[in-house]
C-alpha cells in the first residue's frame, strides 16, 4: 500500500510532518480499537478448510472472478462442493442465509453473492462465523471466505491478499 501523496508534500514550513504528528494519536486510538475487537472475538473453527481471499481495499481488485476460479480448483482437490461465504454487501438480509437464485434477488443478498450462487453454493451473513456454521452441515468440503481479512469471527486455514 502506498502512502497518500499529501504525507510527503512539502509546503512552506514543512506541513506534512506536522500533519503526521497531529494525526498520529488518532491512528493509535484506531489501532488500539481494532486490536481490542480482534482480541474479544474468538474465531469459529470449522471442520473444513477455509480459504480467505481479499484485500484491504474496496472493490475492483478481482476478488469475485478469483473466487469463482478457485472454487472450481478446490472442488477438484477436495472432491466435494466448495461454498463461498460473503457478507452480502448491498443486500438487506443479515443472515446467515444460503443464497438461492430462485428465491433471492440482489436487493436481498447483494449482487456478487447472487452472481456467484449460479455456479455453486453461497452463504451470506453479517457475522461470517454464523454463515460458515450454516455451510458445513450443508455438505461443503471447503469454504472460500470472500473479502474476509477484516473478519475475525471465522478461523482461516489459508489467508491470501
Amino acid at each position: 500500500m502506498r502512502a497518500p501523496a499529501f504525507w510527503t508534500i512539502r509546503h512552506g514550513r514543512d506541513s506534512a510532518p506536522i500533519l503526521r504528528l497531529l494525526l498520529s494519536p488518532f491512528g493509535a486510538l484506531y489501532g488500539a480499537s481494532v486490536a481490542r475487537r480482534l482480541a474479544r472475538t474468538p474465531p469459529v473453527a470449522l471442520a473444513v478448510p477455509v480459504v480467505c481471499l481479499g484485500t484491504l481495499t474496496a472493490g475492483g481488485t478481482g476478488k469475485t472472478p478469483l473466487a469463482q476460479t478457485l472454487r472450481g480448483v478446490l472442488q477438484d482437490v477436495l472432491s466435494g462442493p466448495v461454498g463461498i461465504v460473503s457478507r452480502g454487501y448491498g443486500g438487506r438480509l443479515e443472515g446467515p442465509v444460503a443464497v438461492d437464485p430462485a428465491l433471492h434477488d440482489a436487493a436481498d443478498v447483494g449482487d456478487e453473492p447472487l452472481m456467484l450462487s449460479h455456479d455453486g453454493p453461497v452463504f451470506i451473513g453479517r457475522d461470517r462465523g454464523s454463515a460458515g456454521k450454516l455451510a458445513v452441515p450443508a455438505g461443503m468440503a471447503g469454504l472460500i471466505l470472500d473479502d474476509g481479512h477484516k473478519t475475525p469471527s471465522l478461523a482461516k486455514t489459508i489467508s491470501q491478499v
Side-chain angles (χ1 to χ4, degrees), residues 80-105:
V82 173
I84 295 177
V85 175
S86 175
R87 181 180 180 274
Y89 183 76
R92 65 175 177 76
L93 298 178
E94 292 185 14
V97 172
V99 177
D100 183 347
L103 297 174
H104 300 116
D105 61 17

Side-chain angles (χ1 to χ4, degrees), residues 9-29:
I9 295 173
R10 308 265 184 225
H11 290 289
R13 297 175 60 184
D14 201 16
S15 60
I18 293 169
L19 183 59
R20 284 193 299 265
L21 180 66
L22 291 173
L23 293 176
S24 64
F26 297 107
L29 286 172

Side-chain angles (χ1 to χ4, degrees), residues 15-105:
S15 60
I18 293 169
L19 183 59
R20 284 193 299 265
L21 180 66
L22 291 173
L23 293 176
S24 64
F26 297 107
L29 286 172
Y30 179 74
S33 71
V34 169
R36 182 176 176 209
R37 187 185 76 145
L38 292 174
R40 286 188 355 212
T41 308
V44 173
L46 301 175
V48 299
V50 176
V51 177
C52 178
L53 296 179
T55 62
L56 299 176
T57 62
T61 58
K63 292 183 301 286
T64 301
L66 179 60
Q68 282 180 306
T69 302
L70 185 60
R71 182 194 335 231
V73 171
L74 287 178
Q75 287 179 154
D76 292 341
V77 170
L78 298 173
S79 301
V82 173
I84 295 177
V85 175
S86 175
R87 181 180 180 274
Y89 183 76
R92 65 175 177 76
L93 298 178
E94 292 185 14
V97 172
V99 177
D100 183 347
L103 297 174
H104 300 116
D105 61 17

Side-chain angles (χ1 to χ4, degrees), residues 105-157:
D105 61 17
D108 294 328
V109 297
D111 58 347
E112 287 182 1
L114 185 63
M115 181 187 74
L116 290 167
S117 71
H118 291 284
D119 294 331
V122 176
F123 304 87
I124 65 154
R126 299 295 188 262
D127 173 12
R128 292 193 231 167
S130 295
K133 286 182 190 177
L134 178 66
V136 173
M140 298 301 107
L143 294 174
I144 297 171
L145 180 57
D146 185 23
D147 200 16
H149 287 299
K150 299 167 274 200
T151 303
S153 63
L154 192 57
K156 297 137 183 123
T157 308

